[in-house]
Amino acid sequence: MVASNIAAGNIDQVQSLIESGAVKDSLTILSGNDDKRLKKEACWILSNVASSKDWRQVGYLVEEGVFESVFQYLSISYSDYQAIQKAIECLENIFEAGGENVKQNFFVEKILKEGKLDDILRAGQVVAFGPDAGLNNDFGDFEWYSDLSANPVTPRERVLVHIVKMLQRWFGAEMNAKILLQDVLSGFGAVSLG
């Protein structure tokens, strides 16, 4: 808890945390430790560091493999929605550090150039359906039954809506938004494009 509180501090405090090795340890814990409590703390630390939006600090996260660690975590975690929410916020904070112009955002471009968008889609499917969900590219017909995004009730629904909104904001221009959402939500049946 102490490290995540320091990570929420000012830029100098965050830099001290980076220099202490705690951030690198968090990346290792997130991708390679079985202790759910430690993974949750790692999600908080990484999200808080990314929220500094300091290019040097966010660049450090990316250079040290934050995308890989977060994607690995999201591909196997589907029940601790508070930790999952923090992992998604970490990604979002990184994208925000790159600037509002999506077409000139270094971090969004990195995801696209490295073919990591499927990893985010996979995270959405794991949240929606569990860790055995496959990445479904057969979109078929999709019916929108209710406006989940206006009223997510369960923690799972809130995380799912967060993922969808992040995808719409940062990657909607790269893909047909409806197809992107269908890929994440096919079978879930309860999200509005609105």
Side-chain angles (χ1 to χ4, degrees), residues 176-191:
N176 176 300
K178 187 172 181 179
I179 290 174
L180 180 130
L181 296 175
Q182 285 174 331
D183 199 22
V184 172
L185 302 170
S186 59
F188 193 67
V191 173

Side-chain angles (χ1 to χ4, degrees), residues 35-80:
D35 187 325
K36 290 181 182 182
R37 185 183 52 78
L38 288 176
K39 285 182 178 286
K40 186 175 192 170
E41 180 69 8
C43 287
W44 278 90
I45 291 169
L46 298 173
S47 180
N48 287 347
V49 170
S51 73
S52 77
K53 299 190 180 61
D54 177 82
W55 259 87
R56 182 177 52 144
Q57 294 170 351
V58 173
Y60 171 83
L61 286 177
V62 172
E63 187 177 296
E64 290 298 320
V66 70
F67 291 136
E68 292 78 7
S69 293
V70 168
F71 295 147
Q72 184 175 352
Y73 173 71
L74 291 173
S75 73
I76 59 170
S77 298
Y78 66 99
S79 61
D80 187 345

Side-chain angles (χ1 to χ4, degrees), residues 6-188:
I6 294 170
N10 64 41
I11 289 175
D12 292 333
Q13 291 168 322
V14 172
Q15 190 61 37
S16 294
L17 194 66
I18 289 171
E19 290 169 5
S20 77
V23 173
K24 191 168 188 162
D25 290 344
S26 295
L27 290 165
T28 302
I29 287 168
L30 194 60
S31 61
N33 190 300
D34 291 332
D35 187 325
K36 290 181 182 182
R37 185 183 52 78
L38 288 176
K39 285 182 178 286
K40 186 175 192 170
E41 180 69 8
C43 287
W44 278 90
I45 291 169
L46 298 173
S47 180
N48 287 347
V49 170
S51 73
S52 77
K53 299 190 180 61
D54 177 82
W55 259 87
R56 182 177 52 144
Q57 294 170 351
V58 173
Y60 171 83
L61 286 177
V62 172
E63 187 177 296
E64 290 298 320
V66 70
F67 291 136
E68 292 78 7
S69 293
V70 168
F71 295 147
Q72 184 175 352
Y73 173 71
L74 291 173
S75 73
I76 59 170
S77 298
Y78 66 99
S79 61
D80 187 345
Y81 295 110
Q82 189 178 31
I84 293 168
Q85 183 79 6
K86 278 295 157 192
I88 298 301
E89 285 175 15
C90 177
L91 295 176
E92 203 161 32
N93 288 336
I94 290 169
F95 299 143
E96 287 175 3
E100 289 297 316
N101 185 340
V102 173
K103 297 216 181 280
Q104 295 178 353
N105 187 307
F106 172 80
F107 302 117
V108 169
E109 283 299 310
K110 183 169 179 59
I111 290 288
L112 294 172
K113 284 180 183 171
E114 293 180 6
K116 302 268 186 209
L117 185 56
D118 278 351
D119 292 328
I120 299 174
L121 296 171
R122 169 92 175 116
Q125 288 193 328
V126 168
V127 169
F129 309 116
D132 296 328
L135 189 59
N136 178 7
N137 291 318
D138 179 17
F139 305 121
D141 292 326
F142 193 83
E143 297 180 25
W144 303 98
Y145 294 108
S146 67
D147 190 1
L148 178 64
S149 64
N151 189 27
V153 177
T154 68
R156 175 178 160 246
E157 291 171 345
R158 285 191 290 277
V159 169
L160 190 56
V161 167
H162 193 164
I163 291 170
V164 170
K165 286 182 177 182
M166 180 184 66
L167 288 167
Q168 283 179 304
R169 178 177 179 191
W170 297 107
F171 300 99
E174 296 299 321
M175 301 175 68
N176 176 300
K178 187 172 181 179
I179 290 174
L180 180 130
L181 296 175
Q182 285 174 331
D183 199 22
V184 172
L185 302 170
S186 59
F188 193 67

